[in-house]
Amino acid sequence: MAGAVVNASAYGAIHNLITYQISPEYFTRFKFIQFGLTKIMMPEILKAMYVGVLASWWMGVFIGGVVGCELVFARPQFRARYYALASIIILICAILGPMTFDHIVIDYTMYFLPPNVTDVASFYLVGSIHNGSYAGGFIGTIIAVLVLPILILRSGKEKADQ
């Protein structure tokens, strides 16, 4: 599970490094306030990355718990391989999620919009990217949870056939 928390935290930091470039206001007018970071003296980009860690580590607990429960049943020599495969599936879905999610959400007015945002379109875009990434991560976890038992059963069957 610790590996999943590290992976999710790293994803969150890198994700925010990228999305900060699209809409700094999403962070300065929303996320820094939400996470109580307005008075912390550090470069905004580092604060955005820190927000990414704070906002995503819990996904690692969720993913690590779910995937880890299945990996208990895998043969020890296959666990690292299956964990890596599950991580790749989840990562791909988390990256692709915003592309799909943005097409589903047509009305952005349901999103929170703080006062004095000057680039509303970019603010909403980053909000959509973040929500889509969470949705993609959940969908990727479901896919991994469906794929892993097949691989685990096949590796057990191969052992029995030998």
Side-chain angles (χ1 to χ4, degrees), residues 35-47:
F35 284 89
L37 301 175
T38 55
K39 295 183 180 171
I40 293 180
M41 301 304 291
M42 70 170 56
E44 286 182 352
I45 192 69
L46 293 179
K47 274 201 253 189

Side-chain angles (χ1 to χ4, degrees), residues 6-73:
V6 170
N7 287 347
S9 297
Y11 178 84
I14 294 166
H15 188 268
N16 282 8
L17 176 68
I18 295 166
T19 55
Y20 178 85
Q21 307 306 316
I22 298 169
S23 177
E25 285 183 301
Y26 183 81
F27 296 92
T28 59
R29 300 198 187 274
F30 178 39
K31 288 299 178 180
F32 295 165
I33 296 165
Q34 181 183 32
F35 284 89
L37 301 175
T38 55
K39 295 183 180 171
I40 293 180
M41 301 304 291
M42 70 170 56
E44 286 182 352
I45 192 69
L46 293 179
K47 274 201 253 189
M49 293 174 74
Y50 183 56
V51 166
V53 171
L54 295 176
S56 60
W57 69 268
W58 63 271
M59 281 290 289
V61 173
F62 167 74
I63 292 167
V66 171
V67 171
C69 285
E70 288 190 329
L71 291 178
V72 168
F73 298 102

Side-chain angles (χ1 to χ4, degrees), residues 11 20 27 37-39 55 83 86-87 99 111 120 133 135 140-141 147 156:
Y11 178 84
Y20 178 85
F27 296 92
L37 301 175
T38 55
K39 295 183 180 171
Y83 173 77
S87 296
M99 294 174 206
Y111 283 7
V120 174
S133 192
T141 302
V147 168

Side-chain angles (χ1 to χ4, degrees), residues 134-156:
Y134 281 115
F138 279 115
I139 291 167
T141 302
I142 291 167
I143 293 170
V145 164
L146 294 173
V147 168
L148 284 176
I150 296 166
L151 297 174
I152 291 168
L153 288 172
R154 278 189 184 168
S155 67

Side-chain angles (χ1 to χ4, degrees), residues 41-135:
M41 301 304 291
M42 70 170 56
E44 286 182 352
I45 192 69
L46 293 179
K47 274 201 253 189
M49 293 174 74
Y50 183 56
V51 166
V53 171
L54 295 176
S56 60
W57 69 268
W58 63 271
M59 281 290 289
V61 173
F62 167 74
I63 292 167
V66 171
V67 171
C69 285
E70 288 190 329
L71 291 178
V72 168
F73 298 102
R75 292 172 52 200
Q77 64 267 32
F78 291 112
R79 284 185 187 146
R81 186 180 312 162
Y82 294 162
Y83 173 77
L85 176 64
S87 296
I88 291 168
I89 290 170
I90 295 165
L91 176 64
I92 290 169
C93 289
I95 291 170
L96 295 177
M99 294 174 206
T100 305
F101 191 82
D102 191 49
H103 294 294
I104 294 170
V105 178
I106 296 168
D107 182 12
Y108 290 109
T109 59
M110 67 180 178
Y111 283 7
F112 170 71
L113 182 66
N116 303 322
V117 171
T118 58
D119 188 350
V120 174
S122 293
F123 185 94
Y124 282 152
L125 175 62
V126 170
S128 181
I129 289 169
H130 282 244
N131 291 339
S133 192
Y134 281 115

